[in-house]
Amino acid sequence: MREKRKNKIRIIFSFALILLLIPSIIFGANIGNSVKKEELKTNTEGTVFTLNKKDTYNKSIFMGTYTNILSEGKINGSVITASTSINNSGHISGSVISIAPNFTNSGVINKSVIGFYSNMYLNDSHIKKDLICYGNKVITNEKTVVNGDVNLYADDVLLKGKVDGDVLVVGKSVTINGFIKGDVRVGCNELVLGRDARINGSLTYESPNPIVKTDQSKVVGNIKNEDLGFKIPSVQNEEESALAGFISYYGILNKISILLIAILLFKLFPMSALKVELFTRRNVFKCLSVGAMTMLFIIPVIFILLITVVGMPVALHIASLYFDLTYIATIPTALVLGGLFIKGQNLSSKMLTGIFVILALDFLPSSFFSSVITLIANLIGIGSIVMLISLYLRFQIKREKTEYVTLMSINNSKEDIIRTKQKFEQMKSQKFEAAMRQKENESNSDEVNAADETDDENNINRSKEPNQDEIDNKEDDTDE
């Protein structure tokens, strides 16, 4: 009964989590901007997380049911979540790893910021480690400071303020108008160096157009225009741009749906999920080889069946199953990738980190390198699922054989018991009949012996009685 109750609670909690997260990502509205600062009150219970200036939240925000996060106070932990809007003007002691349409920061973040954002605004921000962003627009102001490296993959980038590390930017339009202590590598269609641009290192860029710079901008190192192997977004018309945006959004939404499905499975089957993660991590190369063989076998079979009219429905079914397999294959791959960064048994943290890594693969500078790594990751996931299914089927077949043998042995033992009982009854009846015969024989022999004894007694008595003739003779002698 307790297990049933626990399962019901898990199912209810998981569905509630999905229902709360999906609207927040797809249909949520950015209500954080509508909340007035002077009216901000701390609330950590509802779907909107708000933290007042004077308040402190002594936990990390991990995959909460918050559609919006608005913080002016101090968060003693990290923010790892998928929400509609994140607005921080306070202090975060950990990292920020998130997916959100809008991210605004004007406070202090002690560690790194890693995320997928449509729009990212850093106003008077202080990020003490790295800044990694994938999105549409990134804008920083003059008072923004990043103590680590900056990696930006966005269409429009305006980089101001100060960066203590190196800078890597890939986008359509990139404008640098701040101080950068390290080297700068840029892949874009248009690169502009503003009047306040100061680069202490070298500048290497890949662009079809010449660099635009003012006389006040300064680069201490060398300036090179060379092929860096970046996948630079091309300038498209509105229809192509809308299509590309939809595909990109669909890809991110696809990963989010996988994340939600994975979390649901983790809540329902935690031990099975741990086994999947452990099995995949221990058999990475086996999973890779099995996934490659599966792909090399299934794809030619599908094409061969499509040629024939009769095999076309079968080919379509196999193709749909293969696509489903590639969709679910992201789960074990993400678990393994997340396990490289997060230790322990927190599967949700590993899954979220792994999804971030998989999404980041699409933004690698080299498209060929990105495609190869993505293919390897998918093959590992496919091989893991195929191997687990085959192990499960073998286990079930072995179990059924064992049950069959057990049932047959039970039936045979029952038949043996029945036969033994029959033999015992038969032996018992035979012994009883033999005993009865023996008793009859003994009784007959007793009767015969008794009759013989009676005859002997009669003979003895007869022998003892005097003979009548002798008596008569004696009487005659006496008379004489």
Side-chain angles (χ1 to χ4, degrees), residues 98-103 114-120 132-139 151-157 169-173 233 244-245 248-249 252 359-360 362-363:
S98 60
I99 301 173
N102 296 305
F103 178 85
I114 304 171
F116 294 83
Y117 312 112
S118 293
N119 300 305
M120 183 180 196
I132 302 172
C133 175
Y134 308 88
N136 182 39
K137 184 184 291 184
V138 177
I139 297 176
N151 295 327
L152 302 176
Y153 303 85
D155 290 340
D156 298 315
V157 176
V169 182
V170 179
K172 293 179 184 176
S173 174
S248 176
Y249 180 75
I252 294 174
L359 282 171
D362 295 333
F363 296 91

Side-chain angles (χ1 to χ4, degrees), residues 430-450 452:
Q430 289 176 355
K431 286 182 180 180
F432 179 74
E433 290 176 358
M436 292 299 294
R437 287 173 190 163
Q438 187 176 359
K439 284 185 179 181
E440 288 179 359
N441 293 331
E442 288 177 354
S443 62
N444 291 331
S445 63
D446 292 339
E447 289 178 359
V448 170
N449 292 331
D452 293 338

